[in-house]
Amino acid sequence: MPAVDDLKCLITEEKLETPSTFAFPFTPYGIQHDFMTEIYSAIEGRKLGIFESPTGTGKTLSIICGAVRWLLDHENREWNQLKMALESLTMKNGETNNDDDDDDDWITGQAKLVEQQRKVYEINKMLKSLEEFNNNIEKIKKEQELKKNKGKSLVIKTLNQKNDVEIEKDKNCFDEESEFVLEEYDQSSSVDDFEEISDEKVQYEGVKIYFCSRTHSQLSQFVAELKKSPYSTSRIIPLASRQNYCINKTVKKLKNITLINERCLEMGKPKPTQKPTKVSSVGSVVKKKKSETICKCPYNDKDKIQSLAEEVTIELRDMEELVNRGDQISACPYYASRESVKYAQIVTLPYTTLLHKSTREASGIRLEGNIFIIDEAHNLLDTIGHIHSSQINGQQLTHSYSQLIQYKNKFELRFSASNLLHLNQLIYVIGKLINMLGGTPGVSHAEASRKGVDSKVYTLENFVHQAEIDHLNMFMLVDFFKKSKIGQKIRGYSEKYMPSVSLQPSKPKLSNLQTFLKQIETKKNNKGKELKEDENKHIDPQVTDIISNNPLTPVMAFIESLTNYCEDGRIICTTQAFVSKGVLKFLLLNPAVHFKEIVDKARSVIVSGGTMEPISEFKDQLFNFNGDNSDRIMHFSCGHVVPPDHILPLVVCSGPTGKQFDFSYQERTSIKMLNEIGSLLENICRTVPAGIVCFFPSYDYEQFVYQHLEKNKVIDRLSERKKLFREPKSTNQVDEVLKNYSQAITTTSVLNSKVTGALLFSVIGGKLSEGLNFSDDLGRCVIVIGLPYPNIKSLELQQKMNYLNNHMGLGTGQQHYENLCMKAVNQSIGRSVRHQQDYAAVLLLDHRYQRDNVRNALPKWLQPSLQEHSKFGSAFAQLNKFFAGKKKLQK
């Protein structure tokens, strides 16, 4: 398949001039036009762009209309340049043939002729593949149009009783013991979990725009905006995981994404023709059966998938719409989406899919020459670090060790020498990891740790040396795990034999000291049991059992972490009183190392968000960590569409009684500070109409303040003015709380009762501080209490700060510490004022907001309007004046 940038090898790319106007659903604001102009120029110039546009400024539409306009212009340029180059070379060939035969340098002439003929051949080949590509798309369009005109469905629905029977049969398709034997490990083979559906290999794929965001709901919003834009006929494909796309109820109910992936692959591929020789328990060769095939998923039908792929190529659909359509015609949406990517102009995907290399490669995402736009990228560095960090506990290690030993004993005589060697190495490594937590391989996870309670930090080099595994090749063990499919084999084996096989040896008799320690541990666990009970109500107990039967996956993720470059990570080894509670954690310190391939191979990478400060993090720690991309980096930032008099940001340094607001860890729990919060809230609730969102630094502090206010009857007085809601800790309760909060505001506005609106207690960095819209009456005032600085004593934070100081210069670590705080604050601030007619007040409660470094880290669009008030009285007067003015305008 010709690469996207192959054209550069044959002809010089003509520069596209940035358009003076852009197609837009309405007359764009000046900042929207500037945004489109800059993103067009950035993509054309192969830049690494950092785009900052406050929420409510039409950022998504600006991205679409700027980037897609460039893509269409580029497609025209590519076609025209190929044709012009072919004509030019053809003319040159004719001139070369007519040259004077007496030319002394005839060898040079012949060499030039051969080179020109080669270029003509290559350009002809590219033109032909491009024509075939366009013809295929036109053919699909005509076929889809013909089917619509005839009033026929693409495929008649076939998910009837027959398929239900097939699905039920799938449950019993994995009973053969031969299915539990390892696949033969071949170091030279590759791992591919996707077999292309189409027999026809498309030779050309144009430049694609990959649009990435944090959640699927945000990606669906992008698709909705695209439908409203002038480019609604663009070919867009939503990529998602099997967990999101699977419509097979038997597989879907596994819940865990790893198990869904494994079962899908098992049901989608036949067993290899070359199988290991079967040997009986006494060593004699067992005759092979003629054919052994894993049962096929009824939705993995080649023709139906191809039909769905062609349909989604032409008709713009988001992920949910594609799932519904796949369910209607009994075709797998997962494979249909991947089959249709080759025809797509735009591909949407969660940015975790892009950032994780193995997931990216398994999804068939090609980096070379393409454009990657990552929206909501304010936490991109943290996300990369989180994705590539890993953690395992002693229980997972001991469970994995026990499973591997029993599995080996069961099938040892049926393994090849290579598989047995690598299996023994894997068992050895896991045993050594158990030793690091103070345990003994083969003994229950409930044993007391020999190392007591302690935490140590290791470099990767020191850790593998201390664990005595430095002589083994971790890359090969990871490769063995993937190719032999040992995780799938052991899970299937343990599922079948769980009733009859003890996965843990019997517990050894504990000494008096161990019994005492066990009692202490039990008491500690019981203290938090009631709080955790509600959080776990939504978890299916069957899912928990299934996950516990497959502990090897997180163990291998940790072992894979040991393959990182030594300077890029640290291992934190935390031992507890009992081995099961010990933890090994790999901490990635250099996210840029996992983003470098994207930066190097992509044509352009654009990161965008409402608030991207501090920009230096993206420039220095992501795009230019090695100092070789400074000329590619560009930054665009625009103001808010909301008029300055529609936003009232106030730094409030003291409360109604004159007590200075200081919410540092040492001062925030004082009775005076808690009383000051209550007094301020009572005053604010009397003045601000509709909805108020109050953000606290942590869940613990929100709970602490609420209990104090409740004890002192402040909650009762607040409830007389506003209906009070609190952010839930359980994710599945968030939608209900938001719905009730919204209804309370709407209802009280209509009834005109004494209770006017609602008050929502939330948490900075919590579930309500990002990605939610508190526009209009939902958020007339945002209160931010204190500054949410992370725990400076955290081992992880200390390692990150030390790393930055050593590699980026002294002071960088402290800056990172402050950035973590301010990024969370900025996201909370951005929940209100979402469009041009919206208005709201923002109260920042803490005298530390007066500091220059804190002020400068606030959103740029907010800073010009920011007022500082040392006394509450003057701030409250400004608040009264602001809302009184808005009330007059509404009348």
Side-chain angles (χ1 to χ4, degrees):
M1 180 187 296
V4 174
D5 279 359
D6 280 355
L7 188 62
K8 292 193 300 180
C9 301
L10 299 173
I11 53 179
T12 302
E13 187 178 77
E14 292 182 359
K15 181 177 174 55
L16 290 174
E17 295 298 328
T18 304
S20 58
T21 59
F22 291 85
F24 209 71
F26 48 85
T27 303
Y29 303 125
I31 59 174
Q32 291 170 334
H33 182 271
D34 293 343
F35 192 109
M36 291 184 284
T37 299
E38 291 297 322
I39 199 170
Y40 188 103
S41 300
I43 295 172
E44 173 63 15
R46 302 175 180 268
K47 300 291 186 180
L48 306 172
I50 305 166
F51 281 71
E52 190 175 26
S53 180
T55 304
T57 55
K59 169 168 59 74
T60 303
L61 264 178
S62 300
I63 289 174
I64 290 170
C65 295
V68 178
R69 169 66 184 273
W70 178 89
L71 182 64
L72 297 179
D73 289 350
H74 170 75
E75 289 175 349
N76 290 331
R77 169 178 61 183
E78 190 174 37
W79 173 259
N80 292 332
Q81 281 198 261
L82 282 171
K83 291 183 70 175
M84 290 173 60
L86 183 61
E87 292 174 2
S88 176
L89 286 170
T90 303
M91 290 178 61
K92 285 184 179 179
N93 278 344
E95 292 173 1
T96 303
N97 289 331
N98 294 328
D99 278 349
D100 187 2
D101 293 336
D102 294 333
D103 189 350
D104 293 334
D105 196 3
W106 63 270
I107 296 178
T108 302
Q110 285 297 311
K112 288 181 179 178
L113 179 61
V114 170
E115 177 62 20
Q116 288 174 3
Q117 290 174 340
R118 185 192 67 80
K119 286 185 177 181
V120 169
Y121 171 77
E122 292 293 337
I123 292 175
N124 261 321
K125 188 169 68 172
M126 291 188 72
L127 272 171
K128 185 178 179 181
S129 65
L130 180 54
E131 287 174 354
E132 289 177 355
F133 177 82
N134 291 330
N135 290 339
N136 284 337
I137 292 174
E138 289 302 316
K139 182 181 176 183
I140 292 172
K141 285 182 180 178
K142 289 178 181 178
E143 288 177 353
Q144 296 300 316
E145 192 64 32
L146 184 63
K147 288 176 182 178
K148 279 185 179 180
N149 292 337
K150 289 183 178 181
K152 292 183 178 181
S153 174
L154 283 178
V155 182
I156 298 175
K157 186 174 179 181
T158 58
L159 187 55
N160 49 24
Q161 292 181 348
K162 181 183 175 212
N163 272 350
D164 289 337
V165 172
E166 290 181 14
I167 293 172
E168 288 299 315
K169 281 174 62 182
D170 289 339
K171 296 179 182 179
N172 303 311
C173 287
F174 305 92
D175 291 337
E176 292 281 342
E177 276 199 0
S178 59
E179 301 301 333
F180 305 141
V181 180
L182 293 179
E183 303 289 334
E184 189 60 39
Y185 174 50
D186 179 6
Q187 297 179 33
S188 61
S189 65
S190 61
V191 180
D192 183 16
D193 74 340
F194 173 57
E195 185 176 349
E196 198 167 357
I197 300 297
S198 175
D199 293 329
E200 181 184 0
K201 304 293 183 181
V202 177
Q203 296 299 313
Y204 172 83
E205 284 190 35
V207 173
K208 300 184 191 306
I209 296 173
Y210 285 88
F211 181 87
C212 316
S213 196
R214 193 166 53 91
T215 65
H216 285 292
S217 62
Q218 289 168 340
L219 294 173
S220 294
Q221 291 172 13
F222 174 84
V223 175
E225 291 293 304
L226 183 63
K227 288 179 179 179
K228 295 187 294 186
S229 78
Y231 302 103
S232 58
T233 57
S234 301
R235 302 186 301 277
I236 179 170
I237 304 299
L239 280 185
S241 66
R242 287 181 174 90
Q243 188 176 34
N244 294 108
Y245 268 147
C246 182
I247 55 175
N248 186 324
K249 294 179 181 177
T250 306
V251 178
K252 187 80 172 174
K253 71 180 182 181
L254 292 175
K255 304 290 185 182
N256 180 262
I257 187 169
T258 302
L259 303 185
I260 290 173
N261 286 339
E262 291 175 356
R263 183 58 57 90
C264 177
L265 291 172
E266 288 170 352
M267 298 175 75
K269 288 186 177 181
K271 293 290 287 182
T273 54
Q274 295 293 329
K275 299 186 66 175
T277 303
K278 294 183 180 180
V279 183
S280 68
S281 58
V282 295
S284 59
V285 176
V286 178
K287 187 177 180 181
K288 294 181 181 179
K289 295 181 182 179
K290 288 186 178 180
S291 63
E292 290 184 30
T293 306
I294 296 176
C295 292
K296 184 178 177 66
C297 175
Y299 301 99
N300 193 358
D301 181 281
K302 179 178 177 179
D303 293 334
K304 292 179 182 178
I305 289 173
Q306 187 65 42
S307 294
L308 181 58
E310 291 178 357
E311 182 178 344
V312 75
T313 298
I314 304 306
E315 296 186 19
L316 198 155
R317 285 192 171 96
D318 62 22
M319 185 191 75
E320 187 176 346
E321 291 168 335
L322 181 54
V323 169
N324 292 337
R325 184 56 180 158
D327 196 34
Q328 287 176 1
I329 65 175
S330 300
C332 176
Y334 175 75
Y335 284 114
S337 65
R338 297 181 65 164
E339 171 67 9
S340 55
V341 164
K342 59 193 176 189
Y343 291 121
Q345 293 172 306
I346 307 168
V347 179
T348 64
L349 67 160
Y351 56 50
T352 52
T353 303
L354 171 67
L355 300 176
H356 194 264
K357 183 174 182 178
S358 60
T359 306
R360 179 172 72 236
E361 292 176 344
S363 301
I365 297 171
R366 189 160 49 87
L367 300 177
E368 290 83 355
N370 286 318
I371 300 149
F372 294 88
I373 300 174
I374 305 174
D375 197 20
E376 300 296 330
H378 52 274
N379 282 333
L380 186 59
L381 280 161
D382 297 332
T383 301
I384 298 173
H386 177 73
I387 290 172
H388 293 92
S389 296
S390 59
Q391 179 175 305
I392 50 173
N393 58 46
Q395 185 169 2
Q396 291 171 318
L397 286 168
T398 53
H399 196 166
S400 296
Y401 187 89
S402 177
Q403 284 188 334
L404 286 171
I405 290 293
Q406 293 176 77
Y407 177 74
K408 174 190 167 186
N409 293 339
K410 177 72 176 177
F411 296 107
E412 186 169 8
L413 294 177
R414 300 170 71 170
F415 294 148
S416 66
S418 174
N419 278 354
L420 187 58
L421 171 66
H422 290 96
L423 180 59
N424 283 331
Q425 289 179 347
L426 183 56
I427 292 172
Y428 174 84
V429 169
I430 294 176
K432 289 298 183 181
L433 295 180
I434 293 173
N435 287 339
M436 290 296 289
L437 293 178
T440 304
V443 178
S444 169
H445 61 80
E447 75 165 322
S449 172
R450 298 189 307 273
K451 297 187 176 183
V453 179
D454 192 17
S455 290
K456 290 185 178 179
V457 179
Y458 298 90
T459 64
L460 292 179
E461 183 180 9
N462 290 340
F463 180 80
V464 296
H465 180 74
Q466 187 71 27
E468 299 177 345
I469 56 176
D470 51 326
H471 61 290
L472 295 176
N473 188 333
M474 298 300 151
F475 291 94
M476 191 170 290
L477 282 182
V478 173
D479 193 44
F480 165 71
F481 173 78
K482 293 177 180 177
K483 292 178 180 176
S484 67
K485 300 180 181 176
I486 187 172
Q488 298 166 238
K489 306 296 181 179
I490 288 183
R491 178 187 55 78
Y493 173 69
S494 63
E495 277 184 356
K496 181 176 180 183
Y497 292 104
M498 269 292 287
S500 59
V501 176
S502 172
L503 291 175
Q504 295 292 347
S506 59
K507 294 181 181 179
K509 186 176 180 180
L510 300 178
S511 67
N512 291 335
L513 174 61
Q514 290 172 332
T515 303
F516 175 70
L517 292 173
K518 179 73 172 177
Q519 290 173 348
I520 294 175
E521 189 71 24
T522 303
K523 287 180 181 178
K524 286 182 180 178
N525 291 338
N526 287 339
K527 282 185 179 179
K529 188 175 181 182
E530 293 180 2
L531 290 174
K532 293 182 179 179
E533 195 173 25
D534 290 337
E535 295 180 36
N536 294 331
K537 279 183 179 177
H538 66 285
I539 299 176
D540 187 345
Q542 292 181 344
V543 176
T544 305
D545 290 338
I546 291 173
I547 295 171
S548 67
N549 288 343
N550 196 36
L552 193 56
T553 300
V555 171
M556 289 308 303
F558 178 80
I559 292 175
E560 186 170 9
S561 298
L562 301 180
T563 62
N564 279 272
Y565 182 62
C566 289
E567 283 299 311
D568 291 335
R570 295 291 183 270
I571 303 292
I572 299 176
C573 178
T574 305
T575 54
Q576 298 289 350
F578 295 93
V579 173
S580 62
K581 301 297 182 182
V583 171
L584 292 173
K585 180 169 186 177
F586 168 75
L587 177 66
L588 180 69
L589 300 176
N590 180 17
V593 71
H594 290 284
F595 199 69
K596 187 177 187 304
E597 185 180 18
I598 300 172
V599 169
D600 290 345
K601 293 183 177 180
R603 178 189 181 100
S604 180
V605 179
I606 307 293
V607 294
S608 66
T611 302
M612 298 296 286
E613 295 290 345
I615 301 299
S616 59
E617 279 197 355
F618 293 94
K619 289 183 177 179
D620 301 333
Q621 297 181 40
L622 191 68
F623 286 150
N624 198 38
F625 191 81
N626 294 324
D628 52 359
N629 283 317
S630 56
D631 58 330
R632 291 185 66 194
I633 299 172
M634 60 88 64
H635 172 221
F636 171 80
S637 180
C638 66
H640 212 301
V641 294
V642 174
D645 61 345
H646 279 219
I647 180 78
L648 179 67
L650 304 174
V651 173
V652 184
C653 300
S654 60
T657 66
K659 172 71 176 175
Q660 186 182 60
F661 279 136
D662 182 358
F663 293 100
S664 61
Y665 187 77
Q666 295 80 8
E667 298 293 331
R668 65 185 183 184
T669 56
S670 69
I671 298 298
K672 288 185 178 179
M673 196 63 61
L674 296 173
N675 290 338
E676 211 69 63
I677 293 174
S679 180
L680 177 137
L681 288 174
E682 288 188 64
N683 280 280
I684 300 301
C685 286
R686 282 196 292 266
T687 299
V688 177
I692 301 173
V693 185
C694 182
F695 288 98
F696 292 85
S698 68
Y699 285 104
D700 287 342
Y701 190 60
E702 187 273 342
Q703 174 76 7
F704 189 79
V705 172
Y706 183 86
Q707 289 176 346
H708 175 83
L709 299 182
E710 187 177 41
K711 179 181 177 182
N712 290 275
K713 307 299 182 183
V714 177
I715 295 295
D716 293 339
R717 294 197 294 272
L718 290 174
S719 298
E720 293 175 359
R721 292 281 180 178
K722 305 278 185 186
K723 193 166 183 179
L724 183 61
F725 296 89
R726 299 173 67 194
E727 177 177 327
K729 288 188 178 181
S730 299
T731 304
N732 63 334
Q733 296 175 352
V734 169
D735 288 342
E736 184 182 356
V737 170
L738 290 175
K739 179 182 176 183
N740 293 336
Y741 172 73
S742 177
Q743 287 179 345
I745 294 170
T746 306
T747 304
T748 55
S749 297
V750 173
L751 296 177
N752 197 25
S753 62
K754 184 180 178 182
V755 177
T756 57
L759 171 63
L760 176 61
F761 281 5
S762 188
V763 176
I764 302 172
K767 301 171 185 64
L768 306 182
S769 64
E770 291 188 34
L772 291 178
N773 184 348
F774 290 107
S775 62
D776 300 314
D777 280 351
L778 294 180
R780 288 304 178 199
C781 181
V782 170
I783 303 172
V784 182
I785 295 179
L787 288 159
Y789 285 109
N791 182 7
I792 193 66
K793 296 181 180 180
S794 163
L795 271 178
E796 296 178 26
L797 180 58
Q798 288 178 357
Q799 291 301 311
K800 180 69 174 181
M801 291 173 66
N802 291 339
Y803 178 84
L804 290 173
N805 285 333
N806 292 334
H807 290 79
M808 306 293 294
L810 288 175
T812 314
Q814 179 64 28
Q815 186 63 52
H816 170 74
Y817 173 71
E818 294 175 1
N819 291 343
L820 289 174
C821 166
M822 294 311 300
K823 284 194 290 186
V825 168
N826 291 343
Q827 286 303 308
S828 298
I829 292 172
R831 295 313 93 211
S832 63
V833 195
R834 311 288 286 191
H835 58 83
Q836 192 174 28
Q837 284 74 42
D838 203 356
Y839 64 91
V842 176
L843 306 186
L844 305 175
L845 310 186
D846 201 305
H847 72 96
R848 293 175 293 176
Y849 279 105
Q850 296 179 104
R851 297 174 181 172
D852 289 342
N853 63 321
V854 175
R855 280 191 56 136
N856 293 336
L858 290 169
K860 290 289 188 288
W861 59 267
L862 188 80
Q863 292 181 25
S865 305
L866 188 64
Q867 301 178 27
E868 295 180 3
H869 293 271
S870 59
K871 302 295 183 182
F872 176 76
S874 61
F876 191 62
Q878 285 293 321
L879 195 68
N880 272 314
K881 181 180 178 182
F882 178 77
F883 284 107
K886 299 305 174 190
K887 190 175 182 180
K888 286 181 181 179
L889 289 175
Q890 288 176 352
K891 289 181 179 180

